[in-house]
mmCIF file of all heavy atoms in Angstrom:
data_model
loop_
_atom_site.group_PDB
_atom_site.id
_atom_site.type_symbol
_atom_site.label_atom_id
_atom_site.label_comp_id
_atom_site.label_asym_id
_atom_site.label_seq_id
_atom_site.Cartn_x
_atom_site.Cartn_y
_atom_site.Cartn_z
ATOM 1 N N THR B 177 8.695 -0.666 3.140
ATOM 2 C CA THR B 177 8.466 -0.770 4.723
ATOM 3 C C THR B 177 8.722 -2.309 4.934
ATOM 4 O O THR B 177 8.134 -3.124 4.457
ATOM 5 C CB THR B 177 7.148 -0.222 5.003
ATOM 6 O OG1 THR B 177 6.959 1.115 4.605
ATOM 7 C CG2 THR B 177 6.959 -0.382 6.536
ATOM 8 N N GLU B 178 9.445 -2.485 6.015
ATOM 9 C CA GLU B 178 9.755 -3.859 6.444
ATOM 10 C C GLU B 178 9.538 -4.010 7.872
ATOM 11 O O GLU B 178 9.837 -3.270 8.804
ATOM 12 C CB GLU B 178 11.296 -4.061 6.194
ATOM 13 C CG GLU B 178 11.844 -5.395 6.616
ATOM 14 C CD GLU B 178 13.317 -5.572 6.470
ATOM 15 O OE1 GLU B 178 14.025 -4.739 5.729
ATOM 16 O OE2 GLU B 178 13.941 -6.572 6.873
ATOM 17 N N PHE B 179 8.963 -5.177 8.238
ATOM 18 C CA PHE B 179 8.665 -5.655 9.553
ATOM 19 C C PHE B 179 9.208 -7.087 9.754
ATOM 20 O O PHE B 179 9.338 -7.837 8.794
ATOM 21 C CB PHE B 179 7.103 -5.862 9.792
ATOM 22 C CG PHE B 179 6.492 -4.461 9.822
ATOM 23 C CD1 PHE B 179 5.822 -4.000 8.727
ATOM 24 C CD2 PHE B 179 6.195 -4.020 11.166
ATOM 25 C CE1 PHE B 179 5.114 -2.717 8.852
ATOM 26 C CE2 PHE B 179 5.438 -2.685 11.251
ATOM 27 C CZ PHE B 179 4.896 -2.082 10.131
ATOM 28 N N SER B 180 9.549 -7.306 11.047
ATOM 29 C CA SER B 180 9.838 -8.642 11.448
ATOM 30 C C SER B 180 8.573 -9.116 12.300
ATOM 31 O O SER B 180 8.212 -8.365 13.291
ATOM 32 C CB SER B 180 11.062 -8.724 12.318
ATOM 33 O OG SER B 180 11.259 -9.910 12.862
ATOM 34 N N VAL B 181 8.009 -10.226 11.977
ATOM 35 C CA VAL B 181 6.711 -10.674 12.583
ATOM 36 C C VAL B 181 6.900 -12.039 13.157
ATOM 37 O O VAL B 181 7.152 -12.974 12.370
ATOM 38 C CB VAL B 181 5.555 -10.621 11.677
ATOM 39 C CG1 VAL B 181 4.283 -11.104 12.299
ATOM 40 C CG2 VAL B 181 5.354 -9.144 11.015
ATOM 41 N N GLN B 182 6.782 -12.262 14.359
ATOM 42 C CA GLN B 182 6.668 -13.468 14.973
ATOM 43 C C GLN B 182 5.348 -13.631 15.950
ATOM 44 O O GLN B 182 5.359 -13.159 17.047
ATOM 45 C CB GLN B 182 7.977 -13.716 15.935
ATOM 46 C CG GLN B 182 9.264 -13.611 15.274
ATOM 47 C CD GLN B 182 9.384 -14.704 14.147
ATOM 48 O OE1 GLN B 182 8.938 -15.841 14.327
ATOM 49 N NE2 GLN B 182 10.001 -14.354 13.017
ATOM 50 N N GLY B 183 4.301 -14.251 15.311
ATOM 51 C CA GLY B 183 3.062 -14.215 15.975
ATOM 52 C C GLY B 183 2.607 -12.816 16.189
ATOM 53 O O GLY B 183 2.441 -12.069 15.256
ATOM 54 N N ASP B 184 2.357 -12.504 17.439
ATOM 55 C CA ASP B 184 1.947 -11.160 17.840
ATOM 56 C C ASP B 184 3.021 -10.049 18.045
ATOM 57 O O ASP B 184 2.790 -8.962 18.321
ATOM 58 C CB ASP B 184 0.937 -11.090 19.054
ATOM 59 C CG ASP B 184 -0.421 -11.826 18.704
ATOM 60 O OD1 ASP B 184 -0.834 -11.716 17.573
ATOM 61 O OD2 ASP B 184 -0.966 -12.294 19.697
ATOM 62 N N PHE B 185 4.256 -10.597 18.061
ATOM 63 C CA PHE B 185 5.515 -9.781 18.268
ATOM 64 C C PHE B 185 5.859 -9.169 16.922
ATOM 65 O O PHE B 185 6.232 -9.875 16.035
ATOM 66 C CB PHE B 185 6.481 -10.547 18.860
ATOM 67 C CG PHE B 185 7.627 -9.695 19.225
ATOM 68 C CD1 PHE B 185 7.708 -8.755 20.264
ATOM 69 C CD2 PHE B 185 8.784 -9.807 18.573
ATOM 70 C CE1 PHE B 185 8.741 -8.007 20.614
ATOM 71 C CE2 PHE B 185 10.047 -9.038 18.905
ATOM 72 C CZ PHE B 185 9.877 -8.183 19.962
ATOM 73 N N VAL B 186 5.689 -7.768 16.792
ATOM 74 C CA VAL B 186 5.966 -7.119 15.601
ATOM 75 C C VAL B 186 7.047 -6.057 15.699
ATOM 76 O O VAL B 186 6.868 -5.259 16.686
ATOM 77 C CB VAL B 186 4.722 -6.520 15.062
ATOM 78 C CG1 VAL B 186 4.970 -5.816 13.711
ATOM 79 C CG2 VAL B 186 3.611 -7.518 14.802
ATOM 80 N N VAL B 187 7.980 -6.032 14.971
ATOM 81 C CA VAL B 187 9.146 -5.007 14.960
ATOM 82 C C VAL B 187 9.161 -4.263 13.668
ATOM 83 O O VAL B 187 9.439 -4.882 12.626
ATOM 84 C CB VAL B 187 10.431 -5.722 15.378
ATOM 85 C CG1 VAL B 187 11.551 -4.511 15.381
ATOM 86 C CG2 VAL B 187 10.376 -6.332 16.671
ATOM 87 N N LEU B 188 9.010 -3.013 13.702
ATOM 88 C CA LEU B 188 9.225 -2.142 12.519
ATOM 89 C C LEU B 188 10.674 -1.969 12.164
ATOM 90 O O LEU B 188 11.479 -1.470 13.076
ATOM 91 C CB LEU B 188 8.512 -0.847 12.662
ATOM 92 C CG LEU B 188 8.616 0.129 11.465
ATOM 93 C CD1 LEU B 188 7.972 -0.474 10.195
ATOM 94 C CD2 LEU B 188 7.951 1.568 11.884
ATOM 95 N N LYS B 189 11.159 -2.515 11.087
ATOM 96 C CA LYS B 189 12.639 -2.391 10.802
ATOM 97 C C LYS B 189 12.939 -1.235 9.893
ATOM 98 O O LYS B 189 13.973 -0.672 9.964
ATOM 99 C CB LYS B 189 13.111 -3.665 10.023
ATOM 100 C CG LYS B 189 12.902 -4.935 10.920
ATOM 101 C CD LYS B 189 14.053 -5.001 11.836
ATOM 102 C CE LYS B 189 14.125 -6.351 12.492
ATOM 103 N NZ LYS B 189 15.254 -6.532 13.372
ATOM 104 N N ARG B 190 12.013 -0.846 8.852
ATOM 105 C CA ARG B 190 12.261 0.164 8.002
ATOM 106 C C ARG B 190 11.055 0.752 7.461
ATOM 107 O O ARG B 190 10.065 -0.029 7.230
ATOM 108 C CB ARG B 190 12.966 -0.379 6.802
ATOM 109 C CG ARG B 190 13.202 0.454 5.544
ATOM 110 C CD ARG B 190 13.543 -0.314 4.396
ATOM 111 N NE ARG B 190 14.774 -1.080 4.448
ATOM 112 C CZ ARG B 190 15.695 -0.944 3.526
ATOM 113 N NH1 ARG B 190 15.533 -0.361 2.367
ATOM 114 N NH2 ARG B 190 16.833 -1.679 3.584
ATOM 115 N N LEU B 191 10.879 2.024 7.533
ATOM 116 C CA LEU B 191 9.581 2.764 7.140
ATOM 117 C C LEU B 191 9.651 3.514 5.933
ATOM 118 O O LEU B 191 10.387 4.536 6.013
ATOM 119 C CB LEU B 191 9.067 3.536 8.438
ATOM 120 C CG LEU B 191 7.829 4.275 8.190
ATOM 121 C CD1 LEU B 191 6.561 3.321 7.897
ATOM 122 C CD2 LEU B 191 7.495 5.222 9.419
ATOM 123 N N GLY B 192 8.956 3.132 4.825
ATOM 124 C CA GLY B 192 8.828 4.032 3.653
ATOM 125 C C GLY B 192 10.165 4.307 3.025
ATOM 126 O O GLY B 192 10.383 5.371 2.473
ATOM 127 N N ALA B 193 11.184 3.492 3.068
ATOM 128 C CA ALA B 193 12.492 3.770 2.526
ATOM 129 C C ALA B 193 12.518 3.598 1.048
ATOM 130 O O ALA B 193 11.862 2.716 0.493
ATOM 131 C CB ALA B 193 13.503 2.953 3.168
#
Side-chain angles (χ1 to χ4, degrees):
T177 298
E178 179 183 348
F179 287 91
S180 176
V181 180
Q182 299 299 323
D184 289 332
F185 186 70
V186 177
V187 176
L188 178 61
K189 298 284 197 175
R190 173 194 297 226
L191 179 59

